[in-house]
């Protein structure tokens, strides 16, 4: 099974994807295509589709412009290693004007959130129990700290 996140664009999808793939390591454009015949979604060539990867995760892009009347509220969450990395992406995508949650909306209407991974999250033990995939409760296992 393959699951892909969809991002919806009103305009300039190709330019947006080019910027995203240039900014985020492990990213690449796979393909971009247009509908070739008139359809209820619009005339031939008016709707574009794309397949691409951001940070090694598969995405689909759709640009329907004025023929898409819905608000899709697409968003991407990026886990960054450092606050500097988050700030660099925040500025490149939203010109450094984050909202009260630290996220930005890019020129194409995609909302980006940035989480900075805490080095402390990988070290130590949790006082709480963890739930396994089968629903059993088991005690948290200590993790070895890197020296």
């Amino acid at each position: 099974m393959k699951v892909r996140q969809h991002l919806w664009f009103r305009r300039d999808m190709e330019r947006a994807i080019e910027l995203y793939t240039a900014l985020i390591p492990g990213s690449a454009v796979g393909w971009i295509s247009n509908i070739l015949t008139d359809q209820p979604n619009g005339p031939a060539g008016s709707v574009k589709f794309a397949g691409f990867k951001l940070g090694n995760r598969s995405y689909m892009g759709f640009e329907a412009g004025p023929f898409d009347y819905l608000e899709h509220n697409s968003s991407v969450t990026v886990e960054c290693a450092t606050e500097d990395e988050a700030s660099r992406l925040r500025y490149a995508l939203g010109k450094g004007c984050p909202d009260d949650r630290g996220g930005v909306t890019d020129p194409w209407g995609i909302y980006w959130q940035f989480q900075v991974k805490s080095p402390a999250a990988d070290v130590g033990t949790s006082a709480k129990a963890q739930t396994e995939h089968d629903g059993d409760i088991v005690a948290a296992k200590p993790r070895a700290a890197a020296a």
Side-chain angles (χ1 to χ4, degrees), residues 99-118:
D99 63 15
D100 59 346
R101 296 176 305 215
V104 296
T105 300
D106 71 21
W108 300 279
I110 306 299
Y111 181 74
W112 294 79
Q113 285 186 295
F114 305 95
Q115 298 174 346
V116 178
K117 185 176 178 186
S118 169

Side-chain angles (χ1 to χ4, degrees), residues 31-110:
W31 53 270
I32 296 175
S33 182
N34 296 353
I35 60 168
L36 302 177
T37 59
D38 290 348
Q39 296 185 7
N41 293 330
S46 64
V47 178
K48 294 180 184 177
F49 305 92
F52 57 101
K53 288 191 176 211
L54 295 179
N56 295 315
R57 176 166 287 179
S58 295
Y59 284 82
M60 299 268 317
F62 295 96
E63 178 186 322
F67 302 104
D68 184 10
Y69 300 102
L70 299 175
E71 180 56 56
H72 297 284
N73 296 326
S74 296
S75 67
V76 178
T77 300
V78 180
E79 185 178 281
C80 299
T82 65
E83 184 57 45
D84 286 345
E85 182 179 47
S87 293
R88 176 184 68 83
L89 292 171
R90 212 176 269 121
Y91 182 79
L93 294 164
K95 299 305 176 211
C97 300
D99 63 15
D100 59 346
R101 296 176 305 215
V104 296
T105 300
D106 71 21
W108 300 279
I110 306 299

Side-chain angles (χ1 to χ4, degrees), residues 8 26 38 41 43 55 83-84 107 119 122-123 130 141 147:
W8 295 83
D38 290 348
N41 293 330
E83 184 57 45
D84 286 345
D122 291 333
V123 181
Q130 296 176 343
K141 298 177 184 173

Side-chain angles (χ1 to χ4, degrees), residues 23 110 124 132 135 137:
L23 288 172
I110 306 299
E132 296 260 61
I137 304 295

